[in-house]
Structure formats: C-alpha cells, structure tokens
Amino acid sequence: MRRAVCPGSFDPVTLGHLDIVRRATTIFDEVVVAVGVNQSKSRLFSAEERLAMLERACAGLERVRVASFTGLLTDFCTANDVHAIVKGLRAGTDFDYELPMAHMNATLAPGVETVFLPTDAAWSFVSSSLVKEVAGFGGEVSRFVPDFVAEALVARLTSTDAATGPQAGG
Ligand code: PNS
C-alpha cells in the first residue's frame, strides 16, 4: 500500500487543491488530505470547518480520506504509514517556498519522499488567499472553489470584517 499525504491549511479548499488530490490518487493507493492545525496562525475558518469542507469536497474521490494534524508533518507521516508528501506547484515562488520544507522533511523522515505536481494551468493563479480577497470585496469566486465553499465564504465575509484581518497564505 503506497499512501501519500496532501497537507495544507486549506483555508479554504480550492479547485486547485482538489485537482492535486485527484491526480495524487492516480499515483498512490491511498491519499490522506491533512489539514495542518497551527494555533498560532490566524485563519478565516476554524480547523473543524476546514475539515468539514474538505470531507464534503472529497466525498466523490475514491481512496481519499481527510484528517487533521498538529505538530510536525513528518510525525503524522510516521504515525500513519505515509510514504510521500504531495505538493502542488503553481510557479517558481511555490518551489522556493516548498524546497526548504522538502529538504527539512527529508532530513526528519528519510523514508518519506516529497513529490511535486505542477498545478493544472487552469488553477495556476488560484490560491486560498486570493479567493478570500476577491470574495471579501464581493467578487464571484464559484469558479475557483466548490459552490458550498463559495457560499461559506460569502456568509463568513459578509457577517464579519474578517476579510481585512490577518490571513494565511496558500
Ligand atoms: O497550505 P500551507 O499553508 O502551505 O500548508 C503548510 C503546511 C501545513 C503543509 C506546513 O506548514 C506544515 O507542514 N506544517 C506542519 C509543521 C511542520 O511539519 N513544520 C516543518 C515543515 S518543514
């Protein structure tokens, strides 16, 4: 059984994330989509909300399960018999951000490989941060995220001033 993890903040999940998850299932036997829960970072959606959105978004994907983790990603990999970390790359800036993490993770867990997949060109400019910014200013984002996520964004961003608050990247 070759098991991979697609880790991220998923605040919120985008269609770009889901494309990477789906393509990872063509390479690995099982894919765990894992929400990193880092209490020190400000998020628009709680860990529970991000997990619930991912569960719903991945419901139609076979051999995919959703989880959350705290602490080191490599500890999650060891505890869950995960052999590979799959990350999507949109551009060179993603590579610059991801490469040191890949090296650190390889040092911490030598048996766990990082696999980079080029993001589908259709999603090359889509990030959770930009989607939140556009939605915060009333823009239409249903082309970039599942419909129910777009609705959750509108509900959250029109009920609070979260759109202008500190936000995570990704
Ligand atoms: O969607 P993001 O914000 O790019 O996801 C980043 C994430 C959660 C994958 C990354 O921050 C992570 O792996 N956090 C867990 C803590 C950890 O293992 N840190 C060392 C990484 S080298």
Side-chain angles (χ1 to χ4, degrees):
M1 161 79 80
R2 302 299 294 174
R3 183 178 291 119
V5 63
C6 288
S9 306
F10 303 109
D11 187 41
V13 61
T14 68
L15 296 182
H17 291 133
L18 294 173
D19 182 60
I20 294 293
V21 172
R22 181 195 60 75
R23 286 161 57 204
T25 66
T26 69
I27 303 171
F28 296 96
D29 299 317
E30 183 178 79
V31 174
V32 184
V33 186
V35 182
V37 180
N38 183 343
Q39 302 296 349
S40 69
K41 285 194 179 171
S42 171
R43 304 290 184 196
L44 182 60
F45 294 103
S46 70
E48 293 73 23
E49 289 170 326
R50 287 180 275 147
L51 205 55
M53 285 191 278
L54 270 174
E55 294 270 15
R56 192 167 166 188
C58 294
L61 295 175
E62 288 183 14
R63 296 178 287 108
V64 172
R65 65 182 171 91
V66 173
S68 64
F69 71 99
T70 54
L72 288 175
L73 177 60
T74 46
D75 287 344
F76 177 85
C77 292
T78 303
N80 290 275
D81 198 23
V82 167
H83 308 100
I85 299 166
V86 177
K87 297 283 189 87
L89 295 183
R90 290 166 297 198
T93 45
D94 280 350
F95 182 75
D96 291 345
Y97 172 69
E98 293 291 349
L99 189 62
M101 288 205 285
H103 283 149
M104 180 59 79
N105 286 331
T107 304
L108 294 173
V112 179
E113 295 289 350
T114 293
V115 176
F116 293 131
L117 292 181
T119 298
D120 188 294
W123 313 121
S124 61
F125 59 94
V126 175
S127 67
S128 300
S129 300
L130 274 184
V131 165
K132 285 183 285 196
E133 181 168 332
V134 171
F137 287 112
E140 175 59 50
V141 294
S142 58
R143 284 168 290 177
F144 313 124
V145 295
D147 285 346
F148 68 90
V149 172
E151 288 163 16
L153 277 165
V154 170
R156 181 61 47 90
L157 293 169
T158 54
S159 64
T160 70
D161 62 354
T164 55
Q167 294 182 358

